[in-house]
Amino acid sequence: MKKVFKMVNLTVATAVMSLAFVGHSFAASSTDFTDLTNVAAKDKIISLQQSGIISGVAPGLFAPNAPLTEAQSVQLFVSTLGLNLDAVRFEKELKATDYFTNADDKAWYAASFITAAVHNLDLPKSLDPNQSKNKEEFTHQLIRAIERIGHLPMIKPVLVDMKDKDQVSEEYSGSIQRALSYGIVKLNADGTFNPKQIMTREQAAEEIFNAIQYLKAHSNNSASEIMTASQGVKLIAELLGKDGTDIQIKIDPDAKMTRESFINLLMQTLKTSGKLPMINIQPIDIKDNDQIDVEYSGSVQLAIVLGFINLSDEGTINPKGELTRTVATEIIGKASEYLKAHQKPSVAVSYGEGAQLISKALDLAGSDIAIKVDPNAIMTRESFVSLLVQTLKSSGKLPMIKPVVIDIKDLDKVDSSNKSYVQLAASLGIVKLSDENLFKPKDELSQTDAAEIVNNVKAVVERFPSSK
């Protein structure tokens, strides 16, 4: 979707603007709500109402036991974090439906939906404003929001044993564990969390109140904070929905990151996670290219091509500049947009499917390709390339050129019987290596990989004479 707004000096640490939210007495003497008798979170609800965070469903009514809707949830996030559009200049009027397909542009929640999207709160585009919110969804989105906007310091939570952890969706488990560590939520007396339970308005208000208290004590208000390696890892891990332990860094976790080192870590992590295609890029003219470490150059070039970073008006990127949180958050936001726009299911290819793809690419009958394994077995990159090159030879379509030996760093991981086929495929340009000259032979073959390889072989066959 085309951007229809420009960010102008947007305040990043807006969470701390909310510190006045809980400035009133917790035991306020009066309230407009008349339905809070015997409600456990009464004082917290009163405080949030006095601070302008929450409102009722009707004059004098808060409806503590009513289910929380998606629309109410988004409004809560925006109000809690003090988010607004004061620092945004519009090129045209924004609509909630620009970001959320099921929204109503004339509904009461429209402005909060736009605000949440502009501030990149990472909410599902397909959310239904009128649908009830369950506990794990609300908790996950709240934690992600306060961590991103409030710039909470990186923690490694002590895992809490939830008796019903098998009922927690995998993508929400990390956020819920951190919510428990932050003290924003607590387990029930029996040790359960009830992740699928529909959230009530009272429960939501209590989590919001606890989140604000945690932000007051721990939020970092400096948008110009220089990021450490561990903080950079945390941002990248959040982008991928991981806990950070899978991301390896070879420097002191407390060392300050530079722009180039962060970009390199991000791009390498995305590649090894299979989130980026292996593509050949046309190098961009960077005026301060001589200041970029050689080992980071490929990552920087790819980040520019994919739109993760932009050159300055002078055509520079300031690679040695210390990485501020503002810049890191902006890069992660652009990476997130790219991944969402290019998200494709990573479906593994079976031997039977691989044989069909090769037959179609080389204009052969499917029966001409003999496979000696279960047709339903999953192919690796190595096995697919081996079958492809062998088929090229047997069909007389193999180009008659002298191959150049390519330095494949992980060639030792290729089975000895397949090494010559992989070398030949790399030499002919049928397969592309990573920036580190890796082939990744044992990786499962995805539909994307297979399509790229067969397209390459078609071009090679058309370009060079064959032995036929």
Side-chain angles (χ1 to χ4, degrees), residues 164-454:
D164 53 355
K165 62 183 178 183
D166 58 320
Q167 299 177 31
V168 177
S169 299
E170 184 178 355
E171 65 267 33
Y172 301 150
S173 60
S175 298
I176 291 171
Q177 284 289 345
R178 295 198 300 280
L180 290 166
S181 292
Y182 297 152
I184 292 174
V185 296
K186 295 181 180 179
L187 296 181
N188 302 315
D190 61 357
T192 60
F193 180 71
N194 295 340
K196 309 301 182 186
Q197 179 187 68
I198 296 301
M199 219 40 198
T200 67
R201 287 168 54 83
E202 177 191 4
Q203 290 171 326
E206 184 163 21
E207 282 198 29
I208 289 293
F209 181 92
N210 294 341
I212 291 173
Q213 292 299 297
Y214 190 85
L215 279 175
K216 287 179 65 176
H218 299 88
S219 184
N220 190 323
N221 191 30
S222 176
S224 60
E225 171 197 6
I226 305 302
M227 299 286 287
T228 64
S230 61
Q231 290 170 330
V233 167
K234 180 176 183 290
L235 282 179
I236 296 171
E238 287 176 346
L239 173 67
L240 297 175
K242 299 182 178 181
D243 62 6
T245 57
D246 294 333
I247 302 177
Q248 303 298 320
I249 52 176
K250 300 178 182 179
I251 59 175
D252 180 356
D254 297 322
K256 301 298 183 183
M257 295 202 86
T258 62
R259 288 165 58 87
E260 66 174 357
S261 63
F262 178 73
I263 292 167
N264 182 66
L265 180 62
L266 170 63
M267 303 311 290
Q268 295 303 320
T269 304
L270 289 176
K271 284 182 181 179
T272 56
S273 299
K275 301 292 185 180
L276 295 180
M278 291 195 293
I279 59 175
N280 287 330
I281 58 176
Q282 188 67 33
I284 304 296
D285 181 24
I286 304 173
K287 299 303 182 184
D288 52 356
N289 188 66
D290 59 328
Q291 299 178 31
I292 302 175
D293 285 1
V294 174
E295 62 183 302
Y296 298 155
S297 180
S299 293
V300 171
Q301 287 283 351
L302 183 57
I304 293 173
V305 169
L306 297 181
F308 294 4
I309 58 175
N310 298 314
L311 298 177
S312 69
D313 292 338
E314 295 76 31
T316 61
I317 69 157
N318 186 24
K320 305 301 182 188
E322 290 183 321
L323 180 77
T324 65
R325 186 174 287 277
T326 300
V327 171
T329 303
E330 181 181 356
I331 293 172
I332 290 294
K334 291 179 178 178
S336 177
E337 291 176 6
Y338 175 89
L339 294 178
K340 288 178 181 178
H342 297 81
Q343 193 172 36
K344 295 180 180 179
S346 181
V347 181
V349 178
S350 68
Y351 273 80
E353 292 169 335
Q356 290 179 359
L357 286 171
I358 294 171
S359 295
K360 186 175 180 181
L362 301 180
D363 294 322
L364 303 173
S367 58
D368 290 344
I369 301 181
I371 51 177
K372 301 177 181 179
V373 296
D374 180 359
N376 296 316
I378 299 302
M379 298 197 86
T380 62
R381 285 170 53 83
E382 168 187 352
S383 62
F384 182 74
V385 169
S386 174
L387 181 61
L388 173 60
V389 174
Q390 290 183 70
T391 305
L392 277 172
K393 284 184 175 181
S394 62
S395 64
K397 294 178 180 289
L398 185 68
M400 298 179 64
I401 62 173
K402 185 177 182 180
V404 177
V405 177
I406 303 296
D407 180 22
I408 303 174
K409 299 298 185 184
D410 55 354
L411 189 62
D412 60 322
K413 296 181 180 179
V414 178
D415 291 348
S416 58
S417 59
N418 293 328
K419 285 185 178 180
S420 61
Y421 301 134
V422 172
Q423 268 287 357
L424 184 56
S427 176
L428 293 173
I430 294 173
V431 294
K432 307 296 183 185
L433 304 180
S434 71
D435 289 341
E436 298 78 25
N437 276 20
L438 299 175
F439 172 64
K440 301 180 181 178
K442 305 304 180 184
D443 282 6
E444 287 186 351
L445 180 75
S446 69
Q447 296 282 359
T448 302
D449 277 342
E452 180 183 7
I453 293 171
V454 295

Side-chain angles (χ1 to χ4, degrees), residues 4-5 7 10-12 14 17 71 73-88 90 93-100 103 105 107-123 127 145 148-149 337:
V4 289
F5 63 89
M7 307 299 287
L10 187 62
T11 302
V12 177
T14 47
M17 295 167 56
S73 174
V74 175
Q75 177 64 58
L76 273 176
F77 296 152
V78 169
S79 298
T80 299
L81 295 167
L83 303 180
N84 58 59
L85 301 177
D86 293 348
V88 182
F90 300 99
E93 181 182 4
L94 296 184
K95 296 181 179 180
T97 49
D98 290 336
Y99 304 99
F100 302 99
D105 293 320
W108 64 269
Y109 56 74
S112 64
F113 273 39
I114 295 170
T115 304
V118 170
H119 284 270
N120 195 27
L121 290 194
D122 196 24
L123 301 173
L127 69 80
R148 175 170 295 179
I149 304 300
E337 291 176 6

